[in-house]
Structure formats: structure tokens, C-alpha cells
Amino acid sequence: MSVCVDVGYASFLVCGYLYAYILSPHSYFLRHARARNYVSESEMCKLESIPLDFGDYHPLKPITVTESKTKKMTRKGSTSSTSSSSSSSMMDPLSSVLDGTDPLSLFAAAADPVTTAPSTDGARRKRDKDESSAVGSDFEPWSSKRGEILARYTTTEKLSINLYMGSEKGKATTTGSAVSEKVRTRLEELDDLEEGSQKELLNLTQQDYMNRIEELNQSLKDAWSSDQKVKALKIVIQCSKLLSDTTVIQFYPSKFVLITDILDTFGKLVYERILSMCVDNRVSLPDNFSPESVNDTAKETCLNWFFKIASIRELIPRFYVEAAILKCNKFLSKTGISECLPRLTSMIRGIGDPLVAVYARAYLCRVGMEVAPQLKESLNKNFFDFLLTFKQIHGDTVQNQLVVQCVEIPLYLTLYSPAIDWILQCIAYHAPDVLLTEMMERCKKLGNNALLLNSVMSAFRAEFIAARSMDFIAMIKECDESGFPKHLLFRSLGLNLALADPPENDRLQILNEAWKVITKLKNPQDYINCAEVWVEYTCRHFTKREVNTVLADVIKHMTPDRAFEDAYPQLQSIIQKVITYIYDFALLFSVEKFLPFLDMFQKESVRVEVCKCIMESFIKHQQESTKDPVILNALLHICKTMHDSVNALTLEDEKRMLATLINGFIKMVSFGRDFEQQLSFYVEARSMFCNLEPVLVQLIHSVNQLAMETRRVMKGNHSRKTAAFVRACVAFCFITIPSLSSIFTRLNLYLHSGQVALANQCLSQADAFFKAAVSLVPEVPKMISVDGKMRPSDAFLLEFLCNFFSTLLVVPDHPEQGVLFLVRGLLNVIQDYTWEDNSDDKVRIYTNVLHLLSAMTQETFIYHVDKVDSNDTLYGGDSKFLAEINKLSETVVSQILDHLKTLGKEETLKRQSQLAHYFFNTILAHGDLRNNRLNQLSVNLWNLAQKHGFADTKTMVKTLEYIKRRSKQPEMSHFTDLALRLPLQSRT
């Protein structure tokens, strides 16, 4: 032994340091592997259970806040007394730090409580009142309607616009002049707009027009930021004038949306400008300020703006600009807004065009709801004024205008809908039923009131409409068909009934009355727009019989002339509503016309989207597995439709989504104990979904699970029939895995399926899986795609091989293949594999192989597969078997030490240190360190890990502490001497 040690130290002298301890002809690592008693080690490593008494405290209990009541608070140096009340005996850490007080209490107590109490109570009452009158989240804002209006009201006709060109006179300043001179100059500047300082642009398309409006909006902001307030006002006046132009009448609602955006911008700029002038000593006004707290400069500026606007000659721009800055009245007086609203309402009476007037009323309601939602009286007056002038819509002036523009009356009436809907929404918000009933009665008294009736049903609460459904149906019947189509009225009614339930006794009659009108519609588009809404009502309140009838009627109307091709969105909506309310798929597929309804989706992209909706609903609502042949056949057809849509251009995300839905369906199919039928289903699914790799992976897992379920049922004792069935499952997996493209997916499935085969005593099949995995390792590429990014594959290969080694421990040797033939084959593959130059994974794998070989030398392995004899049983500790293990270990250890030699360069010393410590830990865990040569090797590795200062000091300290702790255990006294030979070296 001493000669061998001298040789080792000679090597140390030649190389400069002993990082390779010369091996003898026989491996000393596994010849001296530590004998393991796994049971006693497991008991030793268990944590000691100590009963803990928390008393009333528990970390999951809700936190109890300690309330501190301050009796008296004085400045620093004085005394104070506090009393605290708490429902918990625990001390609040924040209260303990603050000595029972907090900064907010200090500020609150600094003032005299007697004098502050009344004002505080008054402010609280005022705030509560304001909050109760404010618009809540249940009020649909104008911004949500904006996009819909712009998309609906379009035109192909040419438009015109007047652009403000500006003038030098508008930019002139009058510093040092008298006040009267300033007024005269500014009036001249306003008049300048009407004297030709504008340019008319003709023949604009709709998009050009919208671009010009956006340019004006930007010009407004630029003028304001450059302190050209008069120019900004001119731009707003010019834009407001555009709202009096109805030459392209069908575009008017969209024009209103675009122009009022500019008005909103202007109103916000003016308000913020005046508000900024109210800042006193860097303290801004509170949200609920009073006019008394506004300084004179801000008030004068505010009045100046109102005087400028009052000088505008034309009614429409004067009205819109004043309405835009209505909120600024808050700076002048408490009653300013309430006084202005009735006056502005009366101003609208001077607008002759009913369409222009109704949108002016809508804008006033919009501004009123933002600044004073509690002033409903003015809004109500606004609507009642509209009712008085409603007959103008059917007057000769309007009719002549429509003839000139070639616009039909039904189309013209729809232009009113956004404005009237908004006015009624503002009035109906939190309005009592008495007021709503009064408004409904007033609408009844008007002739040709279909337009109003439609807006009433769009704006009033759904519960109010649903409770009076029969009254509304009677009103719809009395309407004139020529003005506003009845089917649109029934559609509006249906939208309300989808949100609220009518009286139960009226439900069937309501459906019959509505469907009598809907089914007579000749235009397929009108028909489907109505039917789409009433399908939801039918699904909510009736059985599959009525649903089937409605679907049959839809098919009847939409099939001729392939009308369904222009109605895919509505048909999709119908499907979505049906599966929302009928989510019992046994009941759904018993609806006779459901599958024929699906056949109308001829466009592939739409058909796939519908199939995805159905599968999502199935996965969401199907709680129990199913074997219903009707459900299975229908869903297989739907999944096949999704699968067949996959082609070379399909995105990976789309493939992943489709595969997830199909896998969700596969997981929900169960034939109970009929395992053969279950396997037949998986075979059929494999043939149908071969283009989606995640589905094939799921099928392999499902078949493996089926084999293990068979084993569980048979309690591991297979009969001839079940053994043949399990082999069929194994064959399914063995045939399917090679069709997968991902190499790591194949490797893991080979390993997993081999484990299943081994558990079911299919030893030859298990060997086939493991051999396939071994032969596949050389094909692993250096880089693989992970989440769309290229990553090195070494880490993934290391993880797989570690799992593989764990399995190989219990795999028995084949009688015709020699000892450890799988381990040898895998080591040869690892040796021949081309690793990255800067990678140490190969050595880490070899170190893990030593763990495996050490476990194989034990008399009894740490784990086994039930009813499978592993090598510990087959060889029984035979000396030839152990000799073969020693030979393998000799080769592996020499490979590790050779690699450590190659890391002696300066740039690789850190890797050398890490690997030396890793190998040291392996010897510590698995080697018998009572052997002097192995003990010496461990000391050399310890010193090598620390030599160049790259070792982690904390890790080394903890390792040494572990060795000292182990030395106190029975049969571990030799660790005491080892610990004395392991010095701790500093980095210096």
C-alpha cells in the first residue's frame, strides 16, 4: 500500500498538484463501496417531531388591528396619555414602534377637535351626497359607444371641410395697451374667422375627412401649448360649425363623434388652465371646492372665456363651445351649472334641423351627466322638448332633404338612434319606475313612434322592459311598418329579455308573438339578426323541443341561395348561446337539428372556430367521463374537423390550442372496465389525429395509464388474457413513439413506456424500449428549440440520463446479453457522444454512474419492481458480478480523473474546483473511507477543490461540519480522522 501511495505522490510532484490519484489494476472505489442499510438510514434521516403550542396564535388567522384612541396629544417634551382597545392580546408590531400612535393621528390631533368637528361633519355629509349622486360603474359611458357609431355610420360619398389658415393678426400682442383695446383686438381676432381666414377642402373620402379632423385636434393642442388661446378657440368654433352641415346625412353620427372629441379636448384644456390658476402656496383646490376658495384672477379668466363664447354670432357653435366648458361654472358660483343647463336646453329650440337638434341635446346630456348628474330635471326637460318637436321628423322639409340625398326614411330614422338612446339612457339612469312609466305613456301618444319605442327599449332597464313585455308587444303591433321595421323592435325587445326574465305565464306567448313576425321576414340578413337574439331567450326558458324548432327554422331560412355564407357571425353567436345554456352534451346532441346546423359552416376557418367553441364548452362543463356513443361520434367528428385544418402554414400556437382541446376530449373518454374497448378508441384516435404531436403524446400516456390500471385491477398477477392485453398496450406505444419529431419527447416516452412494461413483467418489451432509448442518445443535437429559442441540449440530456440510470438499477440482465449490457451500452454511447468543449456534463454523468454502480454492489437494492427479480436477486452478490462492476467503475473513475487533469489551465480552474468537490461528495456518500487509499483520494480532491481559491467557503465549511457530525454516529468513527486531514483554506 505504501508503494502505491508513493507513486501517487510522485504524480503529485510531476504535475504540481495531486488532482489524479493513480489507480491500481483493480478499482478501489467500488471494491470499497460503503455497505448501506437503507432502512436504518431512512429512520435516521427523519425529522424529529416536536409538539408546538401556539396558544391562540396561528399564522393563518386574520390579522387583528389594534385601534388606538388618543385622549390628548402635545408637542415633544410634553406628556400624553393614550388608551387602546383591541380584540387580540398580541402586540401589533407597528403600534409598538409608534408607541400607540401613528403620523395621521398626530396631524388629526394637532387641530382643536371642538372647532374642527362641525366642518368635518359637514364635509363628510357633502362628500356622501356627492358620491350618492355621482355616476356609478353601472352607467355605460359614451366612450363605449364611440367605436360602434364610427363603424356603423359610414359613407362612400365625398365630404368637404373648412380648415382654419391662421393670420398674423391673430398672433399679434397688445402689451401695455388699455383694457378696451384688448377687448377690441380679441373681438377682431374672432371676426377674422368669418372674414375668409379659412380654406375649404372638397372631395374628401371618409378616411381623409377623419384625418383632417385629427389634424385640427392636434392643431388645437399645439395652439394651446404655444399660448395661442384665441387661435385654439377659433379652431373649436370652426369645428362646431361643421355640425350644422348635413349634406352627407348618413355620415352625421360619425361626424358628431369626431367633432365632440375636439370639443371635449377644448373643455378639458380650459378647465385645467383655470384650475392651475387657483393654486395657492403650492396647494391645489380639493375636488369638491367651493367658488369662495377660487381667487379673483381665476374667476376673471373664467368670465373672460364665457364672454368670448357669448360673442360668437352663430347659434350652433355658440351652444357647443359653451356646453364644452360647462364645468367651468363651478369656479363662478354654486348654482352656475344648474342655471346654465335650462338656458342651453332652451337654446336648442332654435335649431331647425331635427337631426342636428337631437344630437345637440345628446351632447348636452353627455356633458350634464359628467358635471352634474344630480340635475335630472334639466335632462328630463331636454327629452320632453324633443317629444314636442318629434313630428318635425316626418315634416315636408325633412322629406325634401331626403329626396335630394336619395335616402330612404327607414335609413334616416336609424341616424337618430345613437342620440335618442343616449338621452334616454341618461334620463333612465337610477330613475324611478314612475318616471319611466310616464315617459313610456308619452311615447304611446305620439304617432309613428317606432323610433322612440326602439330607443326606449334600448335605454330603459331590462327589468322594467321584461316586466311589461306584453305591453311593449302591443305597442310594437300598433307601429307603422313603413317607417321603422318591426323586426328591429322585436330585436330590441329580445335583447332585454336576454338580460331579464319576463313573467312566467307570459313567456310562451311572448315567443310565439315574436316568432310570428321573425319567421315571415324575407331578407335573410334581417331574419338572422332577429333570430340570433331570440335563440338565447328560447334556450333560457324552454326545452330542447323549442330549441330544435328554432334551429330548424333558421336552417330553413338560411340554406336557400347559400345565404348562410353572409351570416357566419350571427350563426356563430347562435351556436355559442345554445352551448352556453345546454351544456349537457347528451341532451345537446339529442337536439335533432344541432348537427345539421353545424353543416352550414362551410368556410373552414369559421367551422374550426365553431368546433373550438364546442370543445371548450365540453371541457369546461363535462364533469364526469363518458362513453356515450352519440357524444363520442359527434365529438370525434368535431375534433377531426379541427385536426384536418392543420397544414404547413398553421402557427404553432394554433396547433397547441387545437391539441389541448383534443387532449381534453381524450381524457374524458372512459369505458370503465372494458379496457379492450378503451384501447380500440385510442387506436382509432391515433389514426385520426396523426398530424398533432401533442395528441400522440397524450395517447401514449393514456395507453400506459391503461396498462397500469390493468395491473392494478389484477393486483400484479396477470392472467393469460390480461398479459396479452398489456403487451398490446406496450406494442401501441412502441409503434407510435418513432413517429414523434421531438427527440427528447421520444427519449422520455421510451423510458416511461419501458418502466410501464417492466412493471407489467414484460421484460423483453422493456429491454426493447431501453435499447431504443440508448440507440437514440447519439442523435441528440447540440442545440434544441425551447419555447421558440435555441438552447444547449446538455442539461436536458443530463437530466434524462440520470432518470435512466435510476431505472437501470432494477432492470434485470438478459441471460443472453451478458452482465450489465444496458449499462455498458449506455456508457459507450456517452463516451462517443460529442460534448461541448466548455461543458463538464459528461463527467457529472460519470459521477452519477458511480452512484448507480455503488447501489448495484449492495446485497439488497434500495427499491424494486413488484414481481420482477432484479440483479441483486439474480446474482445474489456473485463475485463475478461484482468484478464486472469493479471493471466498469475503474473505467469511469479514470475518465473522471483524466478530465480533472485537462482542467489545470488558468481559465478552467474554477470548473476543476467545482468538479473536484462534486467527486469528493460522491466518495463521501458512497465510498468506504476506512480504506486508506480511498481516504487519501478524498483528501486530495478536497485540497484540489480549494487550491486556487475558487471553492465556496460556506459550502466547504458546511461539508466539514457534516463530516464531524457523521463521525459521532456508530461505525463512523473513522470520519474523525478524516476531518482532521481536511484543512480549510482561505481565498488569499
Side-chain angles (χ1 to χ4, degrees):
M1 293 292 292
S2 60
V3 175
C4 293
V5 172
D6 291 340
V7 173
Y9 276 99
S11 174
F12 162 69
L13 294 174
V14 172
C15 299
Y17 195 83
L18 179 60
Y19 43 63
Y21 195 77
I22 300 302
L23 293 173
S24 64
H26 300 286
S27 172
Y28 49 78
F29 178 79
L30 289 176
R31 176 177 293 179
H32 300 287
R34 183 163 62 90
R36 308 290 290 272
N37 186 333
Y38 293 117
V39 176
S40 62
E41 288 185 27
S42 176
E43 291 294 329
M44 189 184 305
C45 293
K46 283 185 178 178
L47 295 176
E48 182 182 0
S49 59
I50 301 176
L52 297 177
D53 183 14
F54 288 102
D56 294 333
Y57 169 73
H58 191 280
L60 298 183
K61 280 186 176 181
I63 298 174
T64 304
V65 179
T66 302
E67 179 185 2
S68 298
K69 297 180 180 178
T70 304
K71 289 182 178 179
K72 184 178 180 181
M73 183 65 60
T74 57
R75 295 184 178 274
K76 183 178 179 181
S78 62
T79 59
S80 62
S81 59
T82 62
S83 65
S84 300
S85 63
S86 173
S87 59
S88 173
S89 59
M90 288 191 61
M91 176 64 70
D92 180 11
L94 297 180
S95 298
S96 62
V97 173
L98 296 170
D99 193 25
T101 64
D102 62 88
L104 298 181
S105 300
L106 292 172
F107 284 113
D112 186 0
V114 176
T115 57
T116 57
S119 60
T120 303
D121 292 342
R124 184 181 295 111
R125 284 195 299 269
K126 180 180 179 182
R127 182 171 64 252
D128 292 343
K129 180 180 178 181
D130 291 340
E131 290 176 354
S132 64
S133 61
V135 176
S137 59
D138 56 338
F139 183 81
E140 184 181 6
W142 174 260
S143 58
S144 65
K145 300 177 180 291
R146 181 182 182 280
E148 180 184 351
I149 295 173
L150 291 175
R152 180 180 176 186
Y153 298 97
T154 60
T155 183
T156 56
E157 296 187 29
K158 298 300 181 180
L159 303 163
S160 62
I161 189 173
N162 293 324
L163 281 181
Y164 171 68
M165 302 303 295
S167 66
E168 293 301 321
K169 182 169 62 174
K171 299 178 183 178
T173 57
T174 55
T175 55
S177 59
V179 174
S180 59
E181 186 65 24
K182 287 184 180 180
V183 173
R184 186 182 307 109
T185 301
R186 295 201 174 163
L187 288 176
E188 290 174 356
E189 289 173 346
L190 289 176
D191 290 339
D192 180 56
L193 178 63
E194 301 175 6
E195 293 172 357
S197 62
Q198 50 187 322
K199 177 183 178 182
E200 186 174 14
L201 299 178
L202 303 174
N203 298 324
L204 297 176
T205 64
Q206 178 180 323
Q207 187 59 47
D208 292 337
Y209 188 90
M210 295 174 69
N211 293 338
R212 296 296 182 182
I213 294 294
E214 181 57 34
E215 289 176 11
L216 285 173
N217 199 356
Q218 188 59 43
S219 299
L220 167 65
K221 296 176 183 178
D222 294 341
W224 192 271
S225 61
S226 60
D227 205 26
Q228 299 182 50
K229 304 297 188 295
V230 173
K231 178 181 177 181
L233 179 59
K234 288 181 178 182
I235 293 173
V236 175
I237 295 172
Q238 175 189 353
C239 292
S240 302
K241 284 187 175 183
L242 297 175
L243 290 175
S244 62
D245 177 22
T246 58
T247 51
V248 184
I249 200 166
Q250 62 267 34
F251 184 65
Y252 191 84
S254 293
K255 181 197 290 187
F256 171 80
V257 169
L258 298 171
I259 299 302
T260 51
D261 284 348
I262 297 178
L263 290 167
D264 292 341
T265 300
F266 176 73
K268 183 179 179 181
L269 291 172
V270 173
Y271 183 83
E272 290 178 350
R273 163 69 175 162
I274 300 173
L275 186 64
S276 66
M277 300 175 70
C278 300
V279 177
D280 187 19
N281 295 327
R282 297 187 178 180
V283 178
S284 59
L285 290 177
D287 292 337
N288 297 320
F289 65 87
S290 62
E292 291 78 12
S293 58
V294 179
N295 57 46
D296 293 339
T297 304
K299 287 184 178 181
E300 181 182 354
T301 303
C302 185
L303 281 171
N304 189 25
W305 276 109
F306 281 109
F307 292 154
K308 286 179 183 178
I309 293 168
S311 66
I312 300 174
R313 298 173 182 174
E314 296 186 27
L315 172 61
I316 291 178
R318 185 168 72 250
F319 163 79
Y320 272 107
V321 179
E322 182 174 356
I325 66 167
L326 180 65
K327 189 176 180 180
C328 295
N329 280 283
K330 293 172 60 177
F331 297 107
L332 301 177
S333 68
K334 294 181 179 179
T335 59
I337 295 177
S338 60
E339 292 171 355
C340 283
L341 278 175
R343 179 172 56 78
L344 291 173
T345 301
S346 301
M347 285 174 64
I348 300 175
R349 296 175 183 174
I351 301 176
D353 192 313
L355 183 65
V356 177
V358 75
Y359 276 94
R361 298 184 192 281
Y363 186 69
L364 185 59
C365 287
R366 178 175 145 196
V367 175
M369 287 297 288
E370 290 177 1
V371 301
Q374 71 277 9
L375 299 176
K376 286 290 187 67
E377 296 81 4
S378 298
L379 302 183
N380 297 344
K381 180 183 178 184
N382 197 1
F383 177 69
F384 293 141
D385 276 1
F386 167 71
L387 292 182
L388 294 175
T389 60
F390 182 73
K391 58 185 179 181
Q392 286 183 320
I393 296 176
H394 302 281
D396 294 338
T397 305
V398 172
Q399 297 297 327
N400 294 335
Q401 184 183 15
L402 298 183
V403 170
V404 172
Q405 297 198 32
C406 301
V407 175
E408 299 291 334
I409 187 67
L411 175 61
Y412 174 71
L413 292 179
T414 60
L415 302 178
Y416 285 82
S417 295
I420 301 177
D421 290 351
W422 178 257
I423 295 171
L424 288 172
Q425 178 185 329
C426 295
I427 296 173
Y429 182 68
H430 289 176
D433 287 356
V434 176
L435 176 60
L436 300 183
T437 305
E438 177 189 353
M439 295 172 64
M440 194 175 85
E441 293 299 326
R442 289 205 182 191
C443 292
K444 271 186 184 180
K445 297 177 182 178
L446 295 173
N448 296 326
N449 64 346
L451 172 64
L452 274 177
L453 184 58
N454 186 68
S455 294
V456 164
M457 289 189 290
S458 299
F460 284 14
R461 293 189 297 272
E463 295 79 8
F464 180 87
I465 304 294
R468 299 161 179 79
S469 299
M470 295 306 300
D471 294 338
F472 278 96
I473 288 178
M475 293 170 63
I476 293 173
K477 287 182 176 180
E478 296 174 1
C479 289
D480 183 7
E481 180 73 26
S482 61
F484 199 90
K486 286 186 179 180
H487 67 86
L488 294 181
L489 298 176
F490 274 107
R491 185 179 189 278
S492 298
L493 178 60
L495 289 171
N496 282 281
L497 297 183
L499 300 174
D501 298 334
E504 189 171 355
N505 296 333
D506 296 339
R507 290 175 184 175
L508 183 59
Q509 185 179 356
I510 292 170
L511 178 61
N512 289 333
E513 292 290 346
W515 209 261
K516 284 179 187 176
V517 176
I518 296 171
T519 195
K520 292 178 182 178
L521 295 173
K522 302 300 182 184
N523 186 315
Q525 201 62 39
D526 292 341
Y527 170 84
I528 196 62
N529 286 335
C530 271
E532 172 201 356
V533 173
W534 283 91
V535 163
E536 182 170 5
Y537 174 78
T538 308
C539 293
R540 276 171 67 98
H541 301 298
F542 299 99
T543 64
K544 71 172 187 177
R545 175 175 169 271
E546 288 79 9
V547 174
N548 190 62
T549 302
V550 170
L551 294 181
D553 195 61
V554 174
I555 295 172
K556 175 184 174 183
H557 279 78
M558 302 307 294
T559 302
D561 300 326
R562 299 177 68 86
F564 54 77
E565 293 182 343
D566 298 322
Y568 283 139
Q570 293 89 338
L571 295 176
Q572 280 183 266
S573 176
I574 290 175
I575 287 290
Q576 186 65 55
K577 289 169 182 174
V578 170
I579 61 179
T580 298
Y581 290 98
I582 308 178
Y583 44 80
D584 180 352
F585 275 73
L587 178 63
L588 178 65
F589 290 124
S590 66
V591 177
E592 183 182 352
K593 295 297 181 181
F594 182 75
L595 292 178
F597 190 93
L598 293 181
D599 291 337
M600 287 195 294
F601 294 98
Q602 299 290 318
K603 188 177 180 180
E604 184 183 59
S605 59
V606 179
R607 185 168 69 248
V608 171
E609 286 300 319
V610 171
C611 291
K612 285 161 63 175
C613 287
I614 296 173
M615 292 309 303
E616 286 171 356
S617 177
F618 175 79
I619 293 171
K620 178 180 179 180
H621 295 107
Q622 188 72 21
Q623 301 296 327
E624 298 178 355
S625 56
T626 181
K627 61 178 180 179
D628 188 326
V630 175
I631 296 178
L632 295 187
N633 289 333
L635 292 183
L636 275 174
H637 172 72
I638 290 172
C639 290
K640 178 66 173 172
T641 301
M642 294 193 299
H643 170 270
D644 292 346
S645 68
V646 175
N647 54 45
L649 300 179
T650 305
L651 298 176
E652 288 299 321
D653 285 345
E654 179 70 10
K655 290 182 182 179
R656 193 178 300 113
M657 179 183 294
L658 296 178
T660 301
L661 294 175
I662 296 174
N663 286 342
F665 163 61
I666 290 173
K667 293 175 184 178
M668 295 304 298
V669 176
S670 174
F671 290 89
R673 289 293 183 90
D674 192 350
F675 292 160
E676 292 182 353
Q677 183 65 30
Q678 187 83 30
L679 182 59
S680 298
F681 169 78
Y682 292 144
V683 171
E684 182 183 3
R686 180 178 63 182
S687 65
M688 296 178 70
F689 309 126
C690 57
N691 289 333
L692 288 173
E693 189 164 305
V695 178
L696 295 179
V697 173
Q698 176 60 45
L699 288 171
I700 294 170
H701 284 307
S702 297
V703 171
N704 281 327
Q705 185 178 358
L706 183 61
M708 294 304 294
E709 181 66 14
T710 306
R711 177 181 181 274
R712 186 189 66 80
V713 171
M714 299 303 295
K715 298 180 180 179
N717 300 311
H718 284 300
S719 64
R720 179 177 299 178
K721 182 178 180 181
T722 58
F725 174 76
V726 167
R727 285 194 292 272
C729 292
V730 170
F732 176 98
C733 298
F734 194 76
I735 294 171
T736 310
I737 292 174
S739 63
L740 304 176
S741 61
S742 172
I743 192 165
F744 277 103
T745 301
R746 278 186 281 161
L747 284 171
N748 287 311
L749 286 176
Y750 274 133
L751 178 59
H752 180 64
S753 301
Q755 293 168 345
V756 172
L758 192 64
N760 285 280
Q761 301 115 52
C762 301
L763 301 184
S764 59
Q765 287 83 357
D767 283 347
F769 279 115
F770 297 141
K771 286 179 182 178
V774 170
S775 64
L776 193 59
V777 170
E779 299 179 20
V780 174
K782 297 295 177 291
M783 304 291 289
I784 58 172
S785 177
V786 179
D787 296 332
K789 297 181 179 179
M790 299 305 294
R791 306 288 190 200
S793 62
D794 290 358
F796 298 94
L797 183 57
L798 175 62
E799 180 184 3
F800 166 75
L801 291 174
C802 290
N803 292 334
F804 200 178
F805 293 142
S806 300
T807 302
L808 290 180
L809 175 64
V810 294
V811 176
D813 282 344
H814 195 284
E816 300 177 0
Q817 299 290 340
V819 179
L820 302 179
F821 73 101
L822 285 174
V823 177
R824 291 177 183 277
L826 188 54
L827 285 174
N828 291 334
V829 168
I830 295 171
Q831 177 65 28
D832 296 337
Y833 186 81
T834 305
W835 300 87
E836 294 290 337
D837 293 337
N838 59 347
S839 172
D840 298 319
D841 289 331
K842 180 178 179 180
V843 176
R844 294 184 185 277
I845 292 171
Y846 280 148
T847 308
N848 288 327
V849 171
L850 291 178
H851 302 169
L852 168 64
L853 295 175
S854 173
M856 284 183 169
T857 62
Q858 306 300 318
E859 292 185 8
T860 304
F861 291 171
I862 187 172
Y863 48 82
H864 295 85
V865 176
D866 190 29
K867 295 183 173 58
V868 174
D869 291 332
S870 298
N871 287 335
D872 58 341
T873 303
L874 294 178
Y875 291 108
D878 184 76
S879 58
K880 292 182 179 180
F881 174 65
L882 295 177
E884 290 295 329
I885 295 178
N886 285 337
K887 289 180 182 179
L888 282 177
S889 65
E890 178 181 349
T891 304
V892 171
V893 171
S894 65
Q895 291 285 338
I896 295 174
L897 295 177
D898 287 344
H899 185 76
L900 282 173
K901 285 182 183 180
T902 63
L903 298 179
K905 300 177 182 178
E906 184 176 354
E907 62 271 14
T908 57
L909 291 176
K910 183 175 182 180
R911 290 165 52 196
Q912 184 189 62
S913 172
Q914 293 172 345
L915 284 180
H917 187 256
Y918 187 59
F919 191 24
F920 171 82
N921 287 335
T922 297
I923 296 176
L924 192 65
H926 299 282
D928 186 356
L929 292 176
R930 287 174 295 189
N931 178 269
N932 291 334
R933 297 176 61 218
L934 198 57
N935 195 299
Q936 182 60 48
L937 177 61
S938 65
V939 172
N940 293 339
L941 290 170
W942 176 271
N943 292 331
L944 179 61
Q946 297 186 98
K947 178 185 178 187
H948 299 286
F950 289 105
D952 181 57
T953 305
K954 291 183 179 179
T955 303
M956 304 302 284
V957 170
K958 289 182 179 179
T959 304
L960 190 57
E961 290 175 353
Y962 166 77
I963 295 172
K964 292 177 180 178
R965 206 162 47 246
R966 289 290 304 275
S967 67
K968 299 177 182 179
Q969 297 176 3
E971 300 182 0
M972 290 291 175
S973 59
H974 57 284
F975 271 38
T976 303
D977 295 334
L978 177 65
L980 295 175
R981 301 179 63 193
L982 301 178
L984 285 174
Q985 299 178 6
S986 64
R987 290 183 180 272
T988 58

